[in-house]
Amino acid sequence: MKRIFYSMIALAITAVTLTSCDDVPMPYNMPNYNEVEEPTITPPTGTGTKDDPFNISAANNYIANGGDEKATVYVKGFISLINSIDTKQYGNATYYISDDKTTANQFEVYRGFYKNGDKFTSEEQIHVGDEVIVAGNLVNFNGTYEFSAGSKIVYQNGTWFETSGGETPKGEGTQASPYNVAGAIAKAKTLSENDKVENVYATGIISKIVKFDAARGQINYYISDDGQQTTQFYIYGGLGKDGAKFTSENNLKVGQKVTITGTLVNYKGNTPQFQYGNKIVSIEEGGGSGGGTGVTPTVSGTTVTVTNPDVTAGSTTVTIDLNAQNFTDKQEVTSVTLSDGSTITFGKGESSSAPKFYSATKGVRMYAKNTIDFACKSKIAKIVITCDSFKGTNYTGNPTQTVSFNGTKATYINEHTESTGGVQLRAQTITITYGE
């Protein structure tokens, strides 16, 4: 009888216990039960210009679709995360921007500068939540979509910093009224990926020589309205005067003003350019505003020297030791800042490999078709690069390497005309001499 009595008590206690647990929340979610709402991706908007910047989704699409990594593109967003602000050595910052102020779908700005390219001098110059427009180059760096080093903030919380917004589109695209570069770009951006407009005329100043194709007698190059490498228009597979084939890359020079006719396209829907087979209608030797001179460096032992014939050298110099920049072994190198505030930017160019620092080399290895862009405080008169030597080989670059001067700027290309091979430029120190 006692056993029955105790069993009834146990059943009663169990019933009470189960009843009291009805309102206790689950200590963890059930399988396939998600209380977190998925982040919302904003539809892509904008064309990437100053007046119509990309949002983050559009910037990602631009990179995914193979957009020009050398073109200056504008992206608008809110600062969502700040990784670092260097106010002592380089004056740049690494931070993220997003469309909705959250970190869910953010975009990296790697080592960017402050307003209109100024160095950061205070950590209080930007804050999470600031609305900004950033201008620079969009790249895919080992799977990470980002602004490469050297971008600048041109707008912040209602204030514009950029002092010049580029040329106003002009011209009608005819021989009598050719487009300027801004006009050609604006027209091309109205085209879809599969559209084209034939017999278009455009005029501009050669801002960069990219590649000479000896087999076809064509040169790939850029033109801009001011001769600078900011807002550029790509001339792909260009021919010479009246369709003549080029015999050398030196047939064209940075700074020459040209009028070109060809087929206008918006390559992959995001890169305005003239299609291959375009030709020069007229060319002005010596160029227009912005000047520009292309020079072949001289090599003596392990020293590469290039002199700007248009600038008389003064006594002011600045030197950077690439082995003293705290790089790690095999680190990809993008940009360095000299003691006077000038910058040197290393680029992949048309190579499959990016420039890298090697401890054994005690400097930066530049592969075939890699580039170096100089942006200095004064006109550049001379550049001297000391290089590495190993097992009897002086790594001073290819014989076809070129340097284009343009006032305070210069572009070095370790050019190589063959599909394989080439000599690396293993730069250890770089010294710049300014003009008088």
Side-chain angles (χ1 to χ4, degrees), residues 170-180 199-203 257 259-261 281-282:
K170 299 176 183 176
E172 299 175 354
T174 64
Q175 186 170 7
S177 178
Y179 288 129
N180 64 354
N199 301 317
V200 173
Y201 288 78
T203 186
K257 186 174 183 179
T259 299
I260 307 160
T261 183
V281 176
S282 66

Side-chain angles (χ1 to χ4, degrees), residues 15-27:
V16 171
T17 302
L18 290 174
T19 302
S20 64
C21 289
D22 283 348
D23 295 328
V24 176
M26 289 182 294

Side-chain angles (χ1 to χ4, degrees), residues 53-54 56 74-80 95-98 109 114 125-127 129-135 147 152-161:
F54 285 143
I56 304 305
Y74 294 78
V75 180
K76 186 175 184 178
F78 296 93
I79 296 178
S80 53
Y95 57 98
Y96 294 81
I97 58 177
S98 68
V109 181
Y114 188 44
Q125 287 172 318
I126 56 173
H127 301 88
D130 285 351
E131 184 180 35
V132 295
I133 295 177
V134 182
F147 270 111
K152 61 184 180 180
I153 295 175
V154 298
Y155 170 93
Q156 182 181 18
N157 297 332
T159 301
W160 280 100
F161 301 134

